[in-house]
């Protein structure tokens, strides 16, 4: 019995000792190699951008490389492209957080997306370079070559990485309390520091405007403001006024100017301007041009010289300063000052001209912001005063002037002429009078962005391109009799 029991038990005790080692080793070895391969593939795939990220970056490069109106240096294009890339990444990140998309680790789609995106982006920047060269050839500027593409792509990558890094650092450091604190400090800074800064800036602009330039000599002939016989002292004309009255090849032509420092109020400045015109013999000329300055008080010398050429010196030009701020600041915050000044000046000149035995023809001229202010005065007063017989608007902002019975000069490459909010959803409708360079195709949103960027360089072009105009501003003035 005992032997039989022991013999039956022996196999049961031997079985575990012989089977456990033989089955455990293969089970532990085979899965280890497979897991290592999958882990390596996963790690390699996660080092590459996801397909959505590559698509967003490629779209950003494509949109930022769309044709613009003016040539751009590589730095400007790199900034635009880099900012667009950073925005694209931010949109993708927000979308993933909002919709909870999963993480795809397959390497092949990611690799394909990176390669295709890189090729498309390089082609887009190269195409932009070709467009730049077309513009540069039309504007007699130096062309660029393949290094332009390298500079743009490299610079854009640096800008995008810097912005993304900054955003990541801020998101890690800032909490809800930090955001609230920054907001409160911002509001307090605006309320307390804003007036101080605005006062300092206004004082700086005023000092800059009134600073005397040694390179600009005071006129000596009686037909110019600031001369020894003038009713308006030389040191009150401002920087732009001194340049205006000192310009021209013929010192006997009449140029009168009244600056902000010439009298304390608008009515007093208008009265001083009319008195100065009478003293200089302006109303004895056949034509009187009322030039509405830009925001800083600037009057384009090309326009005045062109008018003096067209009327062979039988012309007087008067200008009244209404601001010492840049045109864009005046356009945004003090446009009413420009309109009131233009209306008061045109009305006063037309009234005094009508009292002459032989009334001179009155022509209103304005460039950029000056055209906006002059347009209102011209439309309001031309029916009342028949002596106001014509107007010339150079580079008028899109949709901001009335073009009826007026000569409009607008370069096709002028972003000021094309820019408006409606450019977001519709093509520009204003007809340009001078096709000076190739015109890009309108694209929703993209054309608005491109034109907005071109505004910063609108004055960097030569005369006849961008927001620069030549003597045709004066030679295009009508002969009323």
């Amino acid at each position: 019995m005992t032997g039989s029991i022991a013999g039956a038990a022996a196999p049961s005790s031997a079985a575990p000792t012989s089977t456990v080692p033989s089955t455990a080793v293969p089970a532990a070895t085979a899965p280890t190699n497979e897991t290592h391969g999958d882990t390596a593939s996963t790690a390699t795939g996660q080092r590459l951008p996801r397909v959505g990220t590559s698509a967003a970056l490629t779209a950003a490069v494509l949109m930022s490389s769309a044709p613009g109106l003016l040539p751009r240096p590589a730095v400007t294009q790199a900034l635009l492209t880099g900012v667009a890339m950073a925005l694209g990444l931010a949109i993708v990140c927000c979308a993933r957080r909002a919709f909870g998309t999963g993480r795809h680790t397959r390497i092949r789609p990611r690799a394909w997306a990176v390669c295709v995106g890189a090729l498309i982006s390089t082609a887009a920047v190269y195409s932009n370079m070709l467009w730049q060269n077309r513009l540069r050839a039309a504007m007699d500027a130096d062309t660029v070559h393949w290094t332009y593409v390298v500079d743009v792509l490299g610079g854009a990558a640096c800008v995008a990485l810097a912005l993304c890094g900054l955003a990541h650092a801020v998101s890690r450091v800032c909490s809800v309390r930090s955001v609230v604190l920054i907001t409160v400090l911002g509001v307090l800074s605006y309320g307390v520091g804003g007036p101080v800064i605005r006062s300092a800036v206004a004082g700086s602009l005023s000092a800059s405007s009134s600073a005397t330039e040694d390179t600009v000599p005071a006129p000596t002939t009686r037909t110019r403001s600031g001369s020894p016989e003038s009713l308006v002292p030389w040191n009150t004309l401002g920087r732009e006024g001194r340049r205006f009255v000192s310009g021209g090849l013929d010192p006997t032509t009449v140029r009168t100017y009244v600056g902000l420092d010439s009298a304390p109020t608008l009515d007093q400045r208008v009265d001083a301007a009319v008195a100065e015109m009478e003293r200089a013999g302006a109303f004895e000329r056949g034509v009187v041009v009322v030039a509405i300055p830009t925001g800083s008080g600037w009057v384009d010398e090309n326009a005045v010289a062109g008018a003096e050429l067209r009327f062979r010196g039988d012309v007087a030009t008067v200008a009244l300063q209404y601001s010492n701020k840049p045109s864009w600041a005046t356009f945004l915050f003090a446009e009413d000052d420009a309109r009131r000044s233009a209306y008061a000046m045109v009305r006063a000149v037309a009234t005094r001209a009508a009292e002459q035995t032989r009334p001179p023809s009155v022509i209103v001229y304005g460039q950029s912001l000056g055209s906006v202010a002059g347009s209102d005065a011209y439309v309001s007063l031309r029916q009342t005063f028949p002596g106001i017989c014509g107007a010339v608007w150079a580079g008028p902002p899109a949709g901001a002037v009335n073009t009826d019975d007026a000569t409009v000069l607008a370069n096709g490459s002028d972003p000021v002429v094309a820019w408006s909010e409606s450019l977001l959803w519709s093509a520009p409708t204003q007809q340009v009078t001078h096709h000076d360079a190739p015109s890009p195709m309108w694209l929703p949103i993209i054309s608005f962005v491109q034109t907005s960027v071109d505004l910063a360089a609108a004055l960097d072009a030569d005369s006849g391109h961008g927001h620069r105009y030549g003597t045709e501003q004066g030679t295009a003035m009508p002969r009323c009799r």
Side-chain angles (χ1 to χ4, degrees):
M1 293 249 337
T2 307
S4 63
I5 294 174
S12 64
S13 60
T17 58
S18 61
T19 57
V20 170
S22 62
T23 56
V25 173
T29 305
T32 300
N33 294 333
E34 293 177 4
T35 303
H36 177 74
D38 291 344
T39 303
S41 177
T42 299
T44 303
Q46 288 182 352
R47 293 192 190 103
L48 294 174
R50 299 189 221 177
V51 174
T53 301
S54 297
L57 291 174
T58 304
V61 175
L62 279 172
M63 290 187 289
S64 64
S65 300
L69 292 170
L70 292 170
R72 293 177 191 161
V75 173
T76 303
Q77 186 61 43
L79 284 173
L80 174 61
T81 303
V83 171
M85 292 169 66
L87 288 175
L89 290 174
I91 292 172
V92 169
C93 181
C94 292
R96 284 179 180 147
R97 290 184 179 181
F99 299 104
T101 56
R103 299 181 64 88
H104 301 288
T105 58
R106 294 172 59 187
I107 186 173
R108 184 171 295 177
R110 291 191 178 199
W112 274 107
V114 169
C115 293
V116 173
L119 289 174
I120 294 176
S121 298
T122 303
V125 178
Y126 183 77
S127 176
N128 178 267
M129 183 201 74
L130 297 179
W131 176 259
Q132 296 278 323
N133 283 337
R134 288 184 62 189
L135 293 177
R136 292 170 183 270
M139 300 180 186
D140 296 325
D142 294 335
T143 57
V144 294
H145 43 85
W146 63 269
T147 56
Y148 182 89
V149 178
V150 177
D151 292 340
V152 170
L153 290 175
C158 293
V159 171
L161 289 173
L163 291 176
C164 290
L166 178 62
H168 180 71
V170 171
S171 66
R172 293 290 298 272
V173 172
C174 290
S175 61
V176 175
R177 291 182 180 180
S178 300
V179 173
V180 172
L181 179 60
I182 292 172
T183 303
V184 172
L185 290 175
V187 172
L188 291 176
S189 299
Y190 178 80
V192 177
V196 176
I197 294 174
R198 285 193 295 269
S199 177
V201 171
S204 176
L205 290 170
S206 178
S208 176
S209 175
S210 60
T212 302
E213 298 181 24
D214 295 335
T215 58
V216 180
T220 57
T221 57
R222 63 176 299 274
T223 57
R224 302 293 181 95
S225 294
S227 65
E229 300 179 28
S230 175
L231 302 176
V232 184
W234 168 253
N235 59 358
T236 68
L237 297 181
R239 180 181 62 242
E240 301 300 342
R242 290 191 287 271
R243 290 176 177 173
F244 169 75
V245 299
S246 301
L249 299 177
D250 185 358
T252 63
T253 54
V254 178
R255 296 189 183 190
T256 58
Y257 192 99
V258 173
L260 282 176
D261 295 335
S262 300
T265 67
L266 173 60
D267 291 340
Q268 290 175 326
R269 288 194 292 271
V270 171
D271 291 341
V274 174
E276 177 70 356
M277 292 176 70
E278 291 179 339
R279 181 205 62 78
F283 296 106
E284 300 171 7
R285 303 297 172 109
V287 179
V288 172
V289 176
V290 182
I292 313 301
T294 60
S296 61
W298 176 72
V299 179
D300 195 340
E301 171 64 24
N302 287 329
V304 184
E308 293 171 351
L309 177 65
R310 175 165 179 75
F311 301 111
R312 297 182 180 179
D314 189 24
V315 60
T317 308
V318 58
L320 182 72
Q321 186 180 17
Y322 53 82
S323 173
N324 55 19
K325 303 176 181 61
S327 287
W328 64 266
T330 307
F331 182 75
L332 292 176
F333 306 113
E335 187 177 334
D336 288 342
D337 292 344
R339 296 179 188 274
R340 285 194 296 268
S341 176
Y343 181 88
M345 191 70 242
V346 174
R347 181 182 179 87
V349 170
T351 300
R352 183 64 186 88
E355 297 171 354
Q356 295 292 111
T357 303
R358 189 175 177 220
S361 301
V362 178
I363 297 174
V364 185
Y365 158 77
Q367 182 182 135
S368 195
L369 177 58
S371 67
V372 176
S375 174
D376 283 357
Y378 179 66
V379 172
S380 300
L381 297 172
R382 62 177 176 170
Q383 301 299 332
T384 307
F385 297 93
I388 303 176
C389 63
V392 175
W393 314 134
V401 302
N402 189 309
T403 59
D404 294 342
D405 297 329
T407 299
V408 179
L409 301 175
N411 294 327
S413 60
D414 188 350
V416 175
V417 172
W419 189 92
S420 70
E421 296 86 347
S422 62
L423 200 59
L424 285 165
W425 58 83
S426 63
T429 56
Q430 184 169 358
Q431 297 294 323
V432 297
T433 58
H434 177 50
H435 183 75
D436 62 293
S439 298
M441 179 180 66
W442 174 80
L443 297 170
I445 302 177
I446 297 175
S447 293
F448 176 84
V449 174
Q450 295 289 347
T451 305
S452 299
V453 173
D454 285 331
L455 285 172
L459 293 174
D460 293 346
D462 292 334
S463 178
H465 305 289
H467 200 51
R468 292 286 188 185
Y469 295 87
T471 55
E472 72 276 4
Q473 299 173 92
T475 56
M477 293 181 180
R479 288 187 178 274
C480 300
R481 60 169 182 260

